[in-house]
Amino acid sequence: MLYRILSLQNITFKEGIKDKSILAIFFIAILTFIAIIIFPNLFARDIGKVCIDVALSSITLLGLILIFFTCSSILSKDVDKKTIYIVLARPFSRAEYIIGKYLGFLSLEVFVITIISVLSTVGVFICYHYNIHYFPKHFSFYEYLLAILMIIEMLAILIALLLFFSSLTTQGFTATILTLASYIIGSSLNDVLDTISNSSDSIKINKGIIYVINLVKYIFPNLSLFDFKLEVAHGVKISSQNITTAFLYGIIYILLLISLSCLLYKRKEFP
Amino acid sequence: MIQFKKVSKTYKYNFWDKKITALKELTLTIEKGEVFGFLGPNGAGKSTAIKLLMDFIRPSSGMILIDGIDSKEPQARRLLGYLPENPYFYDQLTPKDLLSFGAKASGVKPKDAKKRISYLLKKLELEHVSKRRLRQFSKGMLQRVGLALSLVHDPQVVVLDEPMSGLDPLGRTLVSKLILELKERGKTVFFSSHILSDIERLCDRIAIIHKGELRFLGYIKNVISKYNEQEQDISLPPKETTSYKRILSPVEKLFIEVINQ
Ligand SMILES: Nc1ncnc2c1ncn2[C@@H]1O[C@H](COP(=O)(O)OP(=O)(O)OP(=O)(O)O)[C@@H](O)[C@H]1O
Ligand SMILES: [Mg+2]
């Protein structure tokens, strides 16, 4: 069972890493590396903030590009062009397919993000070295790396979502759109909910609605939980409670999505 | 080796679409070690039957056994090698990558896999392109890669959906040889094809389906002797008979007769 899953993980990774979009991603990564070194100097006092913000945002953005271009095109091909036949013609169970595919995308994501992170961390480090006085007092590379790890976990949720939606739809494209929609909802969820609950002082919102809001908060992937850009950029200590909550929430969310996808794929047909 | 037991399949793409019955209570047994040809006009349900066998789609009723194992079990596919109708693979990979995936996923030992892969690449004349990405391959080359992939784990049963399509004349001869070799080695071959001369040459037994129903099942040698004896003139369906006339082979005569029933 394990060697089957790993063989699928392996070709998924290979297929992904040789894709043209990877070249584009690394190209953008190098551009941002240069930007991190040069660009913040224009902002005098805020050099540190801008530098960290650019680094973390670009990691997120490139991770998203990887998911929405590379991973989703591979998955679409599986469903639309039936490349899935070469997998399912082997003794794979549908669950093994899902897990192998997930691990393939995940390893691709981790690999690419690691390379980009090394690049951007070097960039930030250089920037830090020359402008140490303009960096937040309590800036720490440890927390910076922690923020990157949380970005990776957020992307891991998105991959699980992509697989989950592909189990519901018959077209790869629909799955991509649904994942994109959940990303947009998921990352603005906290802001929207905050606005609503803050306004509850002036306008009376009934308890039912608040209950629904809380429910929505957990059902939709609450991706803003994983965003620690602000803290790191301002040198505010990341609360360990926030990290733990986000980490566990992410793991549970991924496990749930993968299990659901396994169940749905079991019944799925590929005519 | 393969048993279809009253297998029916209705497709329903969307809930407002009309149902299409692609297969009606197909009952069919393919014996161990035989080369079995699966014929029928376009849209007859051949690929549907094969996809059901591979568990890509599920029967609306009935069941399929492979060596006594329900086709729904992943275990059943341990014995099978499969060539899809329109082979399309991950296009950034090389034939080598793909074949070693196939071998690994089917539990072939790495050492054996290496030997087997280079043997098959040679056999199917793909050696010179074994390190090129599949996206640069022509249709016939992909077909060859697909054939190699279906054979990489040396399966007991080989299921080929139109193995000759897209191949050049030499390629077709190659595939014919390959099928005969498999037969000699006691493997079971189940394949669909529109090329009746190949069917006549290769198969022990054939089935003809039309509109999802089994219309004929029998030994090829009986067909040949029957239609060679009777010199009755079965012509093409009326609308297609223009000035075009030629001598039909026994299987062609049978095919036309069965379809016109
Ligand atoms: N995905 C699908 N959705 C709906 N109907 C389908 C689907 N695939 C096939 N059909 C229908 O099922 C019937 C049988 O199709 P099938 O592909 O099995 O034919 P075939 O015998 O393989 O034909 P060909 O010789 O052209 O390959 C056809 O009427 C076709 O319209
Ligand atoms: Mg077909």
Side-chain angles (χ1 to χ4, degrees), chain B residues 40-48 50-51 85-86 161-162 192 194:
Chain B
N42 292 135
K46 303 182 295 297
S47 299
T48 301
I50 289 173
K51 284 174 191 168
E85 186 169 22
N86 304 305
D161 201 346
E162 301 193 23
S192 76
H194 292 299

Side-chain angles (χ1 to χ4, degrees), chain A residues 105-123:
Chain A
F105 289 151
L106 192 64
S107 54
L108 185 67
E109 188 74 58
V110 170
F111 180 80
V112 171
I113 295 289
T114 305
I115 293 181
I116 297 171
S117 302
V118 169
L119 255 181
S120 69
T121 309
V122 169

Side-chain angles (χ1 to χ4, degrees), chain B residues 123 172-182 202:
Chain B
K123 186 106 191 162
R172 269 173 56 190
T173 320
L174 194 73
V175 174
S176 305
K177 264 200 261 170
L178 220 61
I179 291 178
L180 290 177
E181 263 174 45
L182 288 169
L202 298 170

Side-chain angles (χ1 to χ4, degrees), chain B:
Chain B
M1 201 68 186
I2 302 174
Q3 285 171 286
F4 285 88
K5 291 184 169 173
K6 289 205 166 177
V7 179
S8 300
K9 176 69 190 172
T10 47
Y11 282 112
K12 205 166 179 212
Y13 193 68
N14 280 320
F15 67 91
W16 56 81
D17 278 352
K18 244 176 62 185
K19 278 186 186 169
I20 300 170
T21 306
L23 219 53
K24 285 177 210 154
E25 305 219 326
L26 176 69
T27 300
L28 189 62
T29 303
I30 291 138
E31 303 296 341
K32 194 172 180 311
E34 76 178 339
V35 177
F36 193 97
F38 202 35
L39 315 185
N42 292 135
K46 303 182 295 297
S47 299
T48 301
I50 289 173
K51 284 174 191 168
L52 286 164
L53 172 66
M54 298 306 298
D55 194 44
F56 300 152
I57 52 178
R58 309 285 161 55
S60 314
S61 67
M63 72 183 307
I64 303 171
L65 297 177
I66 300 156
D67 202 21
I69 309 170
D70 192 323
S71 65
K72 288 196 186 84
E73 302 290 325
Q75 285 290 347
R77 271 164 281 137
R78 214 170 268 283
L79 303 167
L80 296 180
Y82 167 71
L83 170 75
E85 186 169 22
N86 304 305
Y88 191 92
F89 308 114
Y90 297 115
D91 38 39
Q92 303 295 338
L93 301 183
T94 65
K96 265 211 168 118
D97 293 334
L98 196 66
L99 292 179
S100 56
F101 160 73
K104 232 192 284 175
S106 291
V108 182
K109 289 196 199 85
K111 221 178 85 196
D112 302 338
K114 221 173 163 191
K115 254 190 264 165
R116 182 86 185 148
I117 290 169
S118 56
Y119 166 76
L120 283 171
L121 287 174
K122 198 168 187 176
K123 186 106 191 162
L124 288 154
E125 292 157 11
L126 288 167
E127 263 176 324
H128 60 294
V129 288
S130 69
K131 287 190 179 137
R132 253 212 257 162
R133 294 185 189 197
L134 288 164
R135 69 177 309 149
Q136 306 164 352
F137 278 39
S138 71
K139 160 111 175 75
M141 283 156 86
L142 283 178
Q143 186 83 6
R144 285 164 189 251
V145 175
L147 278 162
L149 185 60
S150 70
L151 298 173
V152 73
H153 52 305
D154 200 17
Q156 280 306 312
V157 185
V158 185
V159 181
L160 310 170
D161 201 346
E162 301 193 23
M164 312 287 185
S165 84
L167 292 181
D168 59 37
L170 292 177
R172 269 173 56 190
T173 320
L174 194 73
V175 174
S176 305
K177 264 200 261 170
L178 220 61
I179 291 178
L180 290 177
E181 263 174 45
L182 288 169
K183 181 186 150 88
E184 260 169 37
R185 294 178 48 221
K187 312 283 183 189
T188 311
V189 182
F190 176 47
F191 76 104
S192 76
S193 181
H194 292 299
I195 300 167
L196 299 179
S197 58
D198 288 331
I199 295 259
E200 204 166 311
R201 216 148 28 87
L202 298 170
C203 295
D204 299 315
R205 221 149 53 101
I206 56 168
I208 300 180
I209 59 170
H210 184 39
K211 295 185 179 160
E213 287 175 70
L214 184 66
R215 293 288 183 85
F216 177 85
L217 176 66
Y219 285 94
I220 200 94
K221 53 177 195 270
N222 298 346
V223 175
I224 293 175
S225 56
K226 183 179 164 202
Y227 284 89
N228 274 347
E229 269 167 31
Q230 62 187 67
E231 276 302 319
Q232 65 175 207
D233 184 37
I234 298 164
S235 47
L236 293 165
K239 44 181 185 288
E240 280 157 46
T241 41
T242 47
S243 58
Y244 180 70
K245 270 215 173 90
R246 64 193 175 96
I247 298 162
L248 296 174
S249 75
V251 181
E252 273 175 299
K253 286 182 197 162
L254 172 75
F255 189 83
I256 291 162
E257 191 182 270
V258 168
I259 301 309
N260 287 341
Q261 262 169 22

Side-chain angles (χ1 to χ4, degrees), chain A residues 3-4 7 11 14-15 18 77-78 81 83 85-86 88 90-92 94 101 266 269-271, chain B residues 9 51 55-56 58 74 77-78 88-92 97-98 101-102 104-106 133 149 153:
Chain A
Y3 62 82
R4 274 198 298 276
S7 64
I11 50 161
K14 263 190 199 158
E15 169 78 0
K18 289 183 180 175
K77 248 188 281 172
D78 252 17
K81 298 218 170 149
T83 44
Y85 284 173
I86 69 163
L88 294 185
R90 310 273 152 192
F92 279 88
R94 298 287 170 89
K101 210 79 202 171
K266 206 164 212 154
E269 301 201 320
F270 301 92
Chain B
K9 176 69 190 172
K51 284 174 191 168
D55 194 44
F56 300 152
R58 309 285 161 55
R77 271 164 281 137
R78 214 170 268 283
Y88 191 92
F89 308 114
Y90 297 115
D91 38 39
Q92 303 295 338
D97 293 334
L98 196 66
F101 160 73
K104 232 192 284 175
S106 291
R133 294 185 189 197
L149 185 60
H153 52 305

